[in-house]
């Protein structure tokens, strides 16, 4: 069944009656990963969405609404995943997609993906924040082109469905909730989603990458750097909402170094879960909070936002990609040898 999120959660989304633009997004696995003492760790695999990231939750709603309102094109700034998602849903809905990226700052597979769906990719010399300002100006001037960044309230409304699914799967709110934070839309959406459902709020922990952690530093940053290019953002557009989410739930913003991100990516992958670096940052943060005794008892949910294939070259920094060449007739010898090592 590929009904998608709008059909499933229509009563919670506040949308007018419309024809959904859907690719059957959502219903992603909530995997029981491990028990760490008094903490039951769950990972939500958002990379299982149709374009490989959580962005599809908001995009089905934003593009459906834009089409319903008569838009003929969508535009977004992106570090890659929003671009791919906007491109796919625009293609599905018969709209044109313009995606604006910070030049040289987006992982190649995401660019290929957006282009394959038929989007027009434009690059600006600058960072994500400057790209976002530029696309906001365009969308404010022209009413035929809809902005589908998470400053679009329909994007956030759609992303609330992640919280609905967790509540539906667990039957109650988790005690703790950990996710990576870049432009701060997703943490804000989850907060509103949990609040709207009225089944309690988890303690919310937003994880940033060191070198790109304005919410930890407490001020915007002009120069940002991290291996996790998806969350290389210095001026989060939804910073105020994210601060409210963390303050209201007595959570925290924390940041993790690139080395921990790569280590976390490897640990997850060796357990069968291949995610991109931004998502691995959440797991690195989860482990750090556990080691500090900072996690509440009970169910803890970590959101793994994007598929590892989205930024496969980064995984190539630690994953061995050169195969060991062996003669066919000595394959068994080679394998037996490797088994004992
Ligand atoms: N994880 C991944 C894989 C992302 O692509 C993003 C954001 C985030 C986490 C952070 O989510 O911005 O709501 O705090 N990517 C955006 C993009 C910026 O353009 O694809 P956020």
């Amino acid at each position: 069944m590929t009904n998608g999120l709008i059909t499933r959660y229509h009563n919670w989304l506040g949308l007018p009656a419309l024809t959904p633009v859907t690719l059957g997004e959502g219903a992603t696995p909530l995997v029981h990963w491990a028990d760490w003492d008094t903490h039951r760790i769950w990972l939500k695999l958002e990379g299982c969405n149709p374009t490989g990231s959580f962005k599809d939750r908001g995009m089905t709603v934003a593009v459906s609404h834009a089409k319903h309102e008569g838009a003929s094109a969508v535009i977004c700034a992106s570090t890659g995943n929003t671009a791919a998602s906007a491109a796919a849903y625009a293609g599905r809905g018969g709209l044109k997609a313009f995606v604006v990226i910070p030049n040289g700052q987006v992982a190649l597979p995401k660019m290929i993906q957006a282009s394959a769906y038929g989007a027009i990719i434009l690059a600006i010399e600058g960072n994500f924040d400057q790209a976002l300002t530029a696309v906001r100006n365009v969308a404010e001037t022209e009413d035929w082109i809809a902005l589908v960044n998470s400053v679009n309230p329909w994007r956030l409304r759609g992303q609330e469905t992640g919280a609905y699914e967790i509540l539906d799967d667990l039957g109650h709110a988790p005690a703790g909730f950990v996710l990576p934070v870049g432009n701060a839309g997703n943490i804000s959406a989850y907060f509103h989603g949990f609040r709207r459902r009225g089944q309690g709020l988890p303690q919310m922990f937003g994880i940033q990458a060191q070198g790109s952690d304005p919410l930890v530093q407490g001020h915007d940053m002009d120069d940002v750097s991290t291996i996790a290019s998806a969350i290389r953002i210095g001026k989060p557009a939804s910073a105020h909402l994210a601060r409210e989410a963390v303050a209201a739930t007595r959570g925290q913003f924390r940041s993790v170094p690139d080395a921990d991100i790569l280590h976390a990516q490897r640990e997850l992958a060796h357990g069968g879960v291949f995610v991109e670096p931004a998502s691995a940052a959440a797991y690195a943060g989860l482990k750090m909070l556990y080691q500090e005794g900072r996690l509440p008892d009970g169910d803890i949910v970590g959101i793994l936002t994007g598929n590892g294939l989205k930024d496969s070259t980064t995984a190539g920094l630690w994953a061995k990609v050169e195969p060991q060449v062996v003669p066919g007739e000595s394959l068994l010898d080679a394998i037996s040898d490797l088994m004992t090592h």
Side-chain angles (χ1 to χ4, degrees), residues 88-288:
Y89 283 81
R92 184 86 185 108
L95 307 182
K96 220 170 172 67
F98 296 93
V99 305
V100 182
I101 60 164
N103 206 9
Q105 300 280 311
V106 172
L108 183 62
K110 296 177 184 174
M111 307 234 322
I112 294 171
Q113 192 186 9
S115 173
Y117 289 131
I120 294 164
I121 304 179
L122 301 165
I124 61 144
E125 293 305 340
N127 56 30
F128 168 84
D129 308 294
Q130 289 157 315
L132 183 57
T133 303
V135 299
R136 283 177 108 154
N137 288 338
V138 170
E140 270 162 29
T141 316
E142 301 294 333
D143 58 8
W144 50 269
I145 188 160
L147 182 66
V148 293
N149 278 105
S150 57
V151 290
N152 176 333
W154 293 111
R155 268 280 310 277
L156 292 190
R157 234 13 218 274
Q159 284 173 213
E160 287 187 24
T161 58
Y164 306 165
E165 287 180 9
I166 291 168
L167 293 169
D168 291 346
D169 284 351
L170 290 181
H172 53 261
F177 178 83
V178 183
L179 87 175
V181 173
N183 210 26
N186 211 26
I187 189 170
S188 308
Y190 270 97
F191 176 60
H192 286 145
F194 283 121
R195 208 166 53 175
R196 199 180 305 280
R197 287 283 292 260
Q199 292 171 252
L201 290 172
Q203 234 181 332
M204 300 187 81
F205 298 91
I207 310 298
Q208 301 208 282
Q210 276 177 24
S212 184
D213 52 356
L215 291 163
V216 178
Q217 302 299 330
H219 56 76
D220 287 350
M221 298 170 75
D222 288 327
D223 295 314
V224 279
S225 67
T226 166
I227 203 162
S229 59
I231 52 172
R232 203 181 280 149
I233 293 173
K235 296 179 185 163
S238 299
H240 53 297
L241 297 175
R243 285 207 185 87
E244 188 196 344
V246 163
T249 64
R250 290 168 294 101
Q252 274 187 337
F253 290 112
R254 299 295 296 272
S255 55
V256 289
D258 282 356
D260 289 9
I261 291 174
L262 291 177
H263 195 266
Q265 187 185 33
R266 181 190 167 111
E267 185 179 320
L268 285 168
H270 285 189
V273 177
F274 187 29
V275 301
E276 67 170 285
S279 315
Y283 187 66
L286 185 60
K287 288 182 63 174
M288 179 179 68

Side-chain angles (χ1 to χ4, degrees), residues 19-64:
T19 309
V21 177
T22 179
L23 291 163
E25 59 290 320
T28 55
L30 184 66
V31 175
H32 176 216
W33 177 250
D35 288 324
W36 296 342
D37 305 330
T38 52
H39 317 286
R40 175 157 272 227
I41 309 297
W42 302 87
L43 300 177
K44 190 158 174 65
L45 308 191
E46 288 289 278
C48 295
N49 275 297
T51 76
S53 87
F54 73 99
K55 305 286 180 179
D56 298 345
R57 294 183 181 280
M59 208 55 75
T60 182
V61 177
V63 171
S64 298

